[in-house]
Amino acid sequence: MVDAAPAAPDSAWEYAPAPESREIATIAPENGLFIDGEFAPAADGKQFTTVNPATEEPLARVAEAGRRDVDRAVAAARKAYEQTWGRMPGRDRAKYLYRIARAIQERAREFAVLESIDNGKPIKESRDVDVPLAAAHFFYHAGWADKLEHAGFGARPRPIGVAGQIIPWNFPLLMAAWKIAPALATGNTCVLKPAETTPLTALLLAEVIQQAGLPPGTVNVLTGDGRAGQALVGHRGVDKIAFTGSTEVGKEIQRAVAGTGTRLTLELGGKAANVVFDDAPLEGAIEGIVNGIFFNQGHVCCAGSRLLVQESIADALLDKLKRRLGTLRLGDPLDKNTDIGAINSREQLDKIEELAAAGEQEGAERWSPPCPLPAAGYWFAPTVFSGVSQSHRIAREEIFGPVLSVLTFRTPEEAVAKANNTPYGLSAGVWTDKGSRILWMTQRLRAGVIWANTYNRFDPASPFGGYRESGFGREGGRHGLAAYIDG
Ligand code: NDP
């Protein structure tokens, strides 16, 4: 493994600041739960504060849902399912979904700014990835709503009923869209529980849904912590649970619904291998590696967190990679030049720091480009570990941060064996010039999604999901509809 000295970027250009205007998003000081078409405080009046992770400044007080609120939301969703939404013809449901999609597009800047403030992700990512993809999911599923009888689920596909949907903080709006759009297209109603640290765009989406005129109760949003999620999972009025988050909580949910008849889909963690062969187009591979692990600060379940590089090109590749990392800009998420934003929470930062320290203790070599970190907020410099062996924790555990572990291989068989040496099975990447090798690899890699000569590409028409400890069920595409159809 190489021991290249940190390479300075070719040119040390300093960019002028290009901040997006924060004023585009109005944040109410107090935010209620969205139940039965109305915003209201929690039954017991409890609230929590959501903070800007880039500055630690409090952004707003948000209602904290308790059991009574979960009861009310599930009852509202049941009523809407039985009396309005569940009976509505697909062509009418489609109109509402199109309306939501268009409203997201119209308010795209507002959504992007709010997402970056509440989550810490760079504005160029929320603006160019999260928000357009969220709108695309509603457009795509609007297209399915009146064509379900042609989707291969029989002549009269039936919805499941009330869906409880629990989402994480890494893509707050996009995960809400991934959950809500297919559920509504197929005639189900929803109770969504966003993550505690990122409630604001889910509430803005609720506002859009209210303005789109969906029947009250069709979508309900319960802000709160894991206890609200737990109450939703345990609620007997819920017919289906869709969860995205950690494998640990996923397993807990699976145990909780076992034997109850509640349908379940789980999208959990990952430890993806991004495999680069010696015949790969190197410049493209470097961009794919950077995008694979440093996109969204590495808070991505399918992140290419294990780089497997063929030994013969390891030195050259690592050299180029370090040079490229020297050009990444870390800082204000609202600056349009920023590549790496803030870590979403103090807890997540602690976890990343702990695992990175374990990497050093276990003997891997740690490297980061020169990268001053802002004084306030939660930050972690892009980090590369070389000399990583398969037994190291940083090669086995999901770090969920901007940390890349580099391992080498000599033969394709060794690459497959190392790539599959994980309990997860969500995603993988293959970089090679040979189409035949791509096919050979994809037949052997145990992952739900495999990218070839690219990484982290998403499309609503393309099913996404894993197996083994990465969960089960698919989101997106025709396969994603199956998760919301009875039978
Ligand atoms: P969690 O799995 O704890 O959170 C995901 C969602 O589930 C949140 O809305 C959370 O609420 C809720 N939740 C928490 N506990 C329960 C429960 N017992 N029953 C039902 N819902 C619950 O992820 P964390 O945010 O704590 O992140 C921890 C680690 O998980 C990360 O470091 C990362 O490794 C991994 N992760 C993986 C993700 C993925 O997409 N695969 C996404 C997020 C995290 P609340 O936010 O209030 O805790």
Side-chain angles (χ1 to χ4, degrees):
M1 184 53 60
V2 292
D3 183 20
D10 289 338
S11 53
W13 289 96
E14 210 23 80
Y15 288 17
E20 174 57 291
S21 166
R22 198 199 142 121
E23 311 315 315
I24 288 164
T26 316
I27 304 177
E30 305 220 339
N31 297 269
L33 309 169
F34 184 62
I35 301 178
D36 208 12
E38 301 291 338
F39 288 92
D44 58 9
K46 277 197 180 165
Q47 290 186 326
F48 62 95
T49 301
T50 183
V51 302
N52 180 342
T55 59
E56 298 173 60
E57 142 214 25
L59 291 170
R61 302 280 295 156
V62 180
E64 183 181 323
R67 270 182 196 282
R68 278 187 287 162
D69 304 301
V70 175
D71 282 344
R72 230 159 57 74
V74 172
R78 172 67 54 198
K79 190 164 143 231
Y81 177 67
E82 285 172 359
Q83 297 182 4
T84 51
W85 193 257
R87 294 165 164 254
M88 195 182 280
R91 62 177 181 279
D92 292 334
R93 292 199 303 272
K95 289 180 203 163
Y96 287 103
L97 287 168
Y98 280 122
R99 216 178 275 169
I100 297 170
R102 282 195 299 269
I104 293 173
Q105 285 185 322
E106 280 158 16
R107 300 178 75 171
R109 246 177 115 187
E110 193 180 344
F111 269 111
V113 169
L114 199 57
E115 196 75 307
S116 284
I117 292 176
D118 204 19
N119 170 281
K121 64 174 70 198
I123 186 76
K124 72 175 176 193
E125 290 181 4
S126 45
R127 180 196 63 195
D128 298 346
V129 182
D130 298 56
V131 178
L133 265 179
H137 269 268
F138 280 102
F139 276 121
Y140 175 78
H141 287 96
W144 269 123
D146 63 347
K147 302 173 193 68
L148 293 173
E149 62 272 31
H150 308 294
F153 303 112
R156 287 176 65 81
R158 289 166 44 81
I160 297 173
V162 174
Q165 306 176 312
I166 301 166
I167 56 172
W169 44 263
N170 53 345
F171 293 93
L173 174 69
L174 185 56
M175 288 303 106
W178 278 29
K179 296 277 181 282
I180 293 173
L184 294 186
T186 44
N188 300 274
T189 56
C190 307
V191 180
L192 179 84
K193 209 297 277 177
E196 187 184 359
T197 55
T198 53
L200 297 183
T201 46
L203 291 172
L204 185 57
L205 181 62
E207 193 182 308
V208 160
I209 285 169
Q210 190 185 42
Q211 284 165 0
L214 272 78
T218 304
V219 176
N220 305 272
V221 177
L222 295 178
T223 46
D225 62 17
R227 285 167 299 183
Q230 218 169 4
L232 188 57
V233 168
H235 202 292
R236 293 284 70 87
V238 172
D239 302 303
K240 187 227 156 73
I241 292 288
F243 172 79
T244 299
S246 62
T247 296
E248 191 190 346
V249 173
K251 286 180 178 174
E252 197 181 316
I253 291 176
Q254 196 170 12
R255 281 192 292 272
V257 303
T260 62
T262 306
R263 296 267 300 269
L264 179 65
T265 43
L266 297 174
E267 203 269 90
L268 309 176
K271 192 72 193 175
N274 205 358
V275 185
V276 183
F277 284 95
D278 58 5
D279 62 348
L282 218 50
E283 302 296 339
I286 295 290
E287 289 312 304
I289 294 163
V290 171
N291 179 33
I293 184 64
F294 300 112
F295 169 60
N296 202 32
Q297 295 74 246
H299 302 326
V300 185
C301 46
C302 53
S305 52
R306 285 184 300 150
L307 173 63
L308 293 182
V309 54
Q310 198 151 17
E311 204 174 84
S312 52
I313 58 159
D315 288 3
L317 183 138
L318 219 58
D319 232 14
K320 268 185 192 293
L321 180 63
K322 288 179 174 178
R323 195 178 279 263
R324 174 69 177 93
L325 295 184
T327 67
L328 293 181
R329 284 157 196 283
L330 176 148
D332 180 6
L334 283 189
D335 191 314
K336 292 167 198 158
N337 295 320
T338 294
D339 300 301
I340 311 249
I343 300 302
N344 179 247
S345 64
R346 161 61 57 196
E347 292 70 36
Q348 190 59 27
L349 180 58
D350 289 346
K351 187 186 160 192
I352 298 168
E353 283 173 346
E354 194 258 316
L355 274 162
E360 278 184 285
Q361 278 154 18
E362 290 183 323
E365 187 181 323
R366 181 176 181 165
W367 180 89
S368 289
C371 182
L373 302 180
Y378 315 127
W379 304 93
F380 197 87
T383 299
V384 176
F385 277 101
S386 51
V388 178
S389 80
Q390 296 196 78
S391 59
H392 289 166
R393 283 182 66 197
I394 53 170
R396 291 185 286 115
E397 295 180 29
E398 185 178 47
I399 301 176
F400 226 61
V403 181
L404 179 68
S405 298
V406 185
L407 298 93
T408 57
F409 66 90
R410 289 185 182 165
T411 63
E413 289 77 11
E414 188 186 347
V416 169
K418 284 186 167 168
N420 288 341
N421 185 12
T422 167
Y424 295 112
L426 187 55
S427 59
V430 180
W431 296 83
T432 171
D433 203 26
K434 294 188 186 63
S436 57
R437 184 175 276 165
I438 291 173
L439 292 175
W440 189 90
M441 288 291 289
T442 51
Q443 282 162 1
R444 286 161 181 79
L445 289 172
R446 293 204 297 260
V449 180
I450 301 174
W451 287 287
N453 293 330
T454 187
Y455 207 91
N456 270 344
R457 296 279 157 203
F458 304 97
D459 189 285
S462 179
F464 182 90
Y467 65 118
R468 307 171 80 208
E469 294 216 354
S470 294
F472 48 81
R474 293 292 175 266
E475 293 185 294
R478 198 192 66 82
H479 299 76
L481 297 172
Y484 289 97
I485 285 176
D486 199 13

